[in-house]
Amino acid sequence: MGLYTRRRHDSSPGPFPPLSPPTISVPSPLLPHHLRHDSSPFPFPNTSPQPPPPPHSHDFPRHNRRESLPGAAPSFPPTSPPSSSLHSRRDSYPGPFPSLPSPPSSTADPPPLLFHARRESCPGPFPSPRRHESDPTLLPSTSSPFLNHPRHRFKRRLDLDLAWPFGELEGVDDDDKRETAYEIFFTACRSCPGFGGRSALTFHSKHENDHGGGTQTSRVKQALGLKMLRSSMYQRMVSFGRGSGWSSMPSSPVADGSPRSRVAPRRTMTMAEVMRLQMGVSEQSDSRLRKTLMRTLVGQLGRQAETIILPLELLRHLKPSEFSNPHEYHLWQKRQLKILEAGLLLHPSIPVEKNNTFAMNLRDIINSAELQPLDTSKTSETMRTFSNAVVSLSMRSPNGIPTNVCHWANGYPVNIHLYISLLQSIFDLADETLVLDEVDELLELMKKTWSTLGINRQIHNVCFTWVLFQQYVTTEQIEPDLLCASHAMLNEVANDAKKERDSLYVKILTCVLSSMQGWGDKRLLNYHEYFQGGAIGQIENLLPLALLASKILRDVANSDGEEQHKGDKTPVDFSRDLVDDYIRSSLKNAFEKIGEAANVKSAESETEKEISELMLQLAQETEDLAMKERKYYSPILKKWHTIAAAVGALTLNNCYGHVLKQYLSEVMTSITVEIVLVLHRAKKLEDVLVQMVVEETADCEDGGKTIVREMVPFEVDSTIMDLTRKWIEESLHEEKECLQRAKETESWNPKSKSEPYAKSVVELMNLAKKIVYEFFQIPISITEDLVEELADGLTKIIREYMMFVAACGLKENYIPSLPPLTRCNRNSKFHKLWKIARPCNVSCEDPHIYGILEANHPHSCTSRGTQRLYIRLNTLYYLLSQIPSLDKSLSLTPRVVPSDRHKTRSTSYFESASSSVLAACQHVSEVASYRLIFLDSNSFFYDSLYVGDVANARINHVHALTTLKHNIKLMTAILTERAQGPAVKEVMKASFDAFLMVLLAGGTSRAFNESDHQSILEDFEGLKQEFRTCGEGFVAENVVEKEAEKVEGVIALMGMSTEDLMENLSSLSSESSGIGIVGNGQKLPMPPTTGKWKTTDPNTILRVLCYRNDRVANHFLKRTFQIAKRR
């Protein structure tokens, strides 16, 4: 709404804020208007005051040129908008556009080449078509074909890099916008001489008959730094028309042989004719427009343009008979309807509700007119509905207050598209890199359209900046004056941007500057590609514009709320940083272009020597590029960045350094002569670039230290270090491949009877020793860091192999689940399940491999799976035995250069790996032992011991000790010496756990009396004795006694009376549950199963009672815990 509230003032015909001290004005008419006779068709009342002259102008609009003309009209360059078009709404002004005041007497003297004349023969202000066709003093008729007009022959393409910033008008092409813009322009200027007044505003070219004073200049062109044209407009049009083959181009009224034939004739042209020709509008279209205004505005000379809905008036008054054929009329009518659709429905300045009846009616009528023309007769009901809809939608106001201002062409981006079409007319038809000398008058007249289009001075400045810049781009950047003019206008835009905060203005400004900046950045970010040879100097013109556009965008962003950036950087710092980015990016792109050629040759190279030669060539070309940058580009860029050459040297240094590292890391795996040559040439290049940086930064405060610190050094030592690390990575990769093969093929068969461990561990450790040996053969200084890297890599592989070996399950997988608790008594009848002892059907396969004859172990029942676990255990102990020698090779080599970082390192590189392997040995021993007892020996131990009754199923009766003895003997025969002791200890733990399982979780087939206590104790003593005497002291006696304490405690409970057990259970249960002393009839809570069986565990005592074959125990369990009776 900010633009809405100011538009009345901004669009007033008062003087523009000056761009430069001179002012630009169009003089007031010298002859007064005559009163109209009643019979005259002149539409304006004779009581109206003399129309004022166009206002003074110091704001210079921007322009983008359109391409085509209807029928015989010249075409204009397209300005295809991008797909990401901008859509916005433009609020309308609250009242009619103010009337034009007379210019003050203090205005500058009018240009002498403009004068007023009246065509007495014309009864009205509009020249007739016939007079135009027959008068040889007038410009060529546009009623004849315009096929050879330059804008047909030279359709310029909008540079694809320059994005159209103003959004897209769907269904409205460039011709439609150009013709509509001319209609609006002519209507707005109709009261000016030359457009509709009885006295036509005419002028002589500023180049004609200049015999007295100096040549007149355009103040707009002077302010923008544009040169004046060498010939008059008429001379250019005559020359241009003949060269273009205009058949209707009139000849000069002066005979060729007369003395005046050598001088261009004094040509009379109105500004209306100039604009018609520049816009490429045919005489027929111009004539129809004039007739319509005569019919529409009879007696309304003072009616303002913004109160006229021009397309509606044209549709009302122009009939099909006034066109060449019905098809031409239909096309013309569709254009008017499309313009109304765009301005009232698609892009209205005031939003339209979806359910607005007038909008729906208008949309339906426009859609129906696509196939056949709309009936515009006075009796047409469709036309009446159409008119009501257009008027109702156009006359709305933002606040609902009635107004006579029409809002049909001031919505964004419709208004900008139309205004850009007008601004494009300032360029010469013959040479579109030139701006007409009459630009001052044209811009003053265009200003009269502001009220209709909703344009103000700030938006005008942005559009004019865009037009000049786009013209520079679309004319292939051959005229640097256009770029300089665009920069001059951009300075005005910068001043406006500091004050203007209207959201639409900010949006237009941001889109325009983003497009300009994007185009400029693409070239400046790659200026070595776009500016070569004589074009290098163009950087000096483009760079200031790009920097100013970026600064304006930054300031606008900061003003929108990003206050945290305010004051971060001065304008000088901001420009320097941008130029810094341009230098780095362009040199990087130039370097990459050199590198692409090297890449092509590299792809064809097969030997290391050929590739190294390419690296040497790349270094030389990089040095040449640095010299070229310093000689040609840096002197220009130095104006904005004092150390531009140093930044360029820094960039090339880092670019080559990156390629060098990539080359060494991807191609080479070891130190060679070729690598040394490449490194020496890189060092030479580095010296040249560093020297360049030092010289260019000598005057800096820090002496160039900041730039030097950014340079990536080409140090030979660091490069060799990288190569060595590459070698380490490849060696460790080979070690990992060995590990992967082991995972895929290892079957856990012993390598031989003398080497009872896996083959894979031997291969793995031999390869590790080989890597360590070859590592110290590299002819470089080995640092502690490299040794640490190698050791860490080997440690990870050892850990991974260890985890692979130890992945054999858990001991819990072999422990049977606990059966449910039941109670028994003397009268219960047990279903005694006797398992007849029989030979184990899973025995050692090929026992001769282990040096043990099968005949010597008839009672061994060790399965093949358990024997494979023994091989796993041997493998882990072998791995553990090889780690110290590997560590010694790394630690005691005298060539290692110590590092301060590793003073606190532990004495061994593989200390953590050794600890992990020991833990894995413990785990595999447990799994193997529990598998041996609970799976392989199950039928001799857990399934047979004390089944039925104690007396008939004691440990000797079921051959449990005998089987255990043979299994242990087989195990120790397979295992290596270091693995035997820990393995026997784990078998002892598994045997004791199995004995406890028999006593406390033996199932319904077992029941014990108090008198069985002694027999059970004797059996356990025999089991203990077996481990005391096993081998050559595999398990120490104190270790046996310590592990047996838990079992002996449970056996002691079995020797207690039932009453004592009940009392202990009640007491311990009460304490653990916190209920205190249990009274008569009070139930105890069921003790949870903890798995930690001991004398103080209530669940352990409960299990003793459950297996007590006693009436009292039976009754107690039934009454207290409701435990089920055995069946």
Side-chain angles (χ1 to χ4, degrees), residues 44 170 198 335 779 848:
F44 307 111
E170 184 178 353
R198 298 180 67 85
R335 171 173 68 86
H848 62 278

Side-chain angles (χ1 to χ4, degrees), residues 1010-1027:
E1010 183 179 344
S1011 58
D1012 294 332
H1013 162 260
Q1014 189 61 35
S1015 300
I1016 295 173
L1017 182 60
E1018 291 176 359
D1019 287 348
F1020 184 67
E1021 284 295 331
L1023 182 60
K1024 288 167 52 180
Q1025 185 62 25
E1026 187 64 37
F1027 290 102

Side-chain angles (χ1 to χ4, degrees), residues 594-608:
I594 297 173
E596 288 176 0
N599 287 336
V600 174
K601 296 179 181 178
S602 176
E604 301 172 356
S605 303
E606 297 181 358
T607 65
E608 180 180 315

Side-chain angles (χ1 to χ4, degrees), residues 1054-1115:
M1054 299 181 69
M1056 295 175 62
S1057 63
T1058 302
E1059 290 76 9
D1060 291 340
L1061 290 173
M1062 292 164 50
E1063 183 178 354
N1064 289 348
L1065 177 60
S1066 299
S1067 175
L1068 292 174
S1069 296
S1070 300
E1071 291 177 3
S1072 61
S1073 61
I1075 62 176
I1077 300 175
V1078 181
N1080 293 331
Q1082 186 174 359
K1083 295 182 179 180
L1084 291 173
M1086 176 67 73
T1089 301
T1090 62
K1092 298 178 180 180
W1093 293 330
K1094 54 186 177 180
T1095 57
T1096 58
D1097 176 36
N1099 185 263
T1100 303
I1101 301 175
L1102 176 63
R1103 288 181 174 277
V1104 174
L1105 286 172
C1106 286
Y1107 287 94
R1108 177 65 61 88
N1109 191 15
D1110 182 89
R1111 186 181 301 275
V1112 177
N1114 179 56
H1115 183 69

Side-chain angles (χ1 to χ4, degrees), residues 720-1016:
I720 293 177
M721 191 76 69
D722 292 339
L723 286 174
T724 306
R725 289 193 171 95
K726 174 71 174 178
W727 181 90
I728 291 175
E729 291 177 2
E730 293 179 350
S731 299
L732 292 177
H733 179 72
E734 185 180 356
E735 184 84 345
K736 290 178 181 178
E737 290 180 344
C738 180
L739 170 61
Q740 185 62 34
R741 287 195 301 271
K743 291 180 178 181
E744 296 173 355
T745 61
E746 186 56 67
S747 59
W748 304 115
N749 289 319
K751 185 177 180 182
S752 66
K753 61 181 180 180
S754 60
E755 298 178 345
Y757 34 76
K759 299 178 183 178
S760 59
V761 70
V762 178
E763 296 175 359
L764 190 74
M765 294 311 294
N766 287 341
L767 181 57
K769 293 176 182 179
K770 176 186 175 183
I771 291 173
V772 171
Y773 173 78
E774 293 178 352
F775 173 70
F776 287 108
Q777 298 304 310
I778 299 175
I780 61 173
S781 178
I782 304 296
T783 64
E784 185 80 9
D785 292 334
L786 292 175
V787 176
E788 187 74 20
E789 288 185 24
L790 180 60
D792 290 344
L794 293 174
T795 298
K796 291 180 181 179
I797 296 175
I798 290 173
R799 283 176 175 271
E800 188 174 352
Y801 182 79
M802 172 270 298
M803 295 175 64
F804 164 64
V805 177
C808 56
L810 302 173
K811 67 177 183 179
E812 287 77 12
N813 297 339
Y814 300 102
I815 300 176
S817 59
L818 299 179
L821 290 176
T822 57
R823 53 189 174 86
C824 61
N825 55 40
R826 291 182 181 271
N827 297 325
S828 61
K829 196 171 186 180
F830 293 99
H831 297 281
K832 299 179 181 180
L833 302 176
W834 293 88
K835 290 188 177 180
I836 303 174
R838 60 184 180 273
C840 180
N841 56 2
V842 181
S843 60
C844 238
E845 300 179 14
D846 300 328
H848 62 278
I849 294 179
Y850 309 98
I852 303 172
L853 296 178
E854 186 177 2
N856 294 336
H857 304 281
H859 300 289
S860 174
C861 60
T862 304
S863 65
R864 185 60 183 270
T866 305
Q867 294 177 47
R868 289 196 180 99
L869 290 178
Y870 298 159
I871 302 302
R872 287 176 182 259
L873 189 58
N874 284 341
T875 301
L876 289 174
Y877 276 105
Y878 177 83
L879 181 64
L880 190 63
S881 67
Q882 296 299 309
I883 289 178
S885 62
L886 197 63
D887 183 73
K888 184 177 179 180
S889 300
L890 292 175
S891 303
L892 302 181
T893 301
R895 291 186 55 200
V896 178
V897 178
S899 173
D900 294 336
R901 283 197 314 116
H902 299 283
K903 284 185 177 180
T904 58
R905 184 183 60 82
S906 62
T907 57
S908 173
Y909 287 104
F910 302 101
E911 183 176 0
S912 61
S914 298
S915 301
S916 300
V917 174
L918 280 174
C921 291
Q922 172 70 19
H923 171 72
V924 175
S925 294
E926 286 183 351
V927 174
S929 300
Y930 276 76
R931 178 185 173 92
L932 178 66
I933 297 301
F934 285 96
L935 182 64
D936 298 345
S937 305
N938 190 56
S939 59
F940 301 99
F941 212 125
Y942 181 75
D943 282 354
S944 301
L945 187 61
Y946 305 142
V947 171
D949 60 4
V950 174
N952 294 318
R954 293 186 63 177
I955 197 167
N956 289 328
H957 295 167
V958 297
H959 308 290
L961 293 180
T962 304
T963 304
L964 178 62
K965 181 185 297 185
H966 286 284
N967 285 339
I968 292 176
K969 188 174 182 181
L970 177 60
M971 180 184 70
T972 55
I974 296 175
L975 293 177
T976 58
E977 183 177 353
R978 189 174 179 181
Q980 292 172 358
V984 173
K985 180 180 177 182
E986 293 302 321
V987 172
M988 178 188 69
K989 291 181 179 180
S991 301
F992 289 177
D993 284 348
F995 199 88
L996 279 177
M997 287 282 293
V998 170
L999 300 181
L1000 300 178
T1004 58
S1005 61
R1006 291 183 174 92
F1008 303 101
N1009 297 315
E1010 183 179 344
S1011 58
D1012 294 332
H1013 162 260
Q1014 189 61 35
S1015 300
I1016 295 173

Side-chain angles (χ1 to χ4, degrees), residues 36 40-45 125-126 196 293-295 297-301:
R36 178 178 63 89
S40 171
F42 192 90
F44 307 111
F126 306 112
L293 293 177
M294 284 173 46
R295 299 167 184 169
L297 303 177
V298 174
Q300 303 181 50
L301 179 62

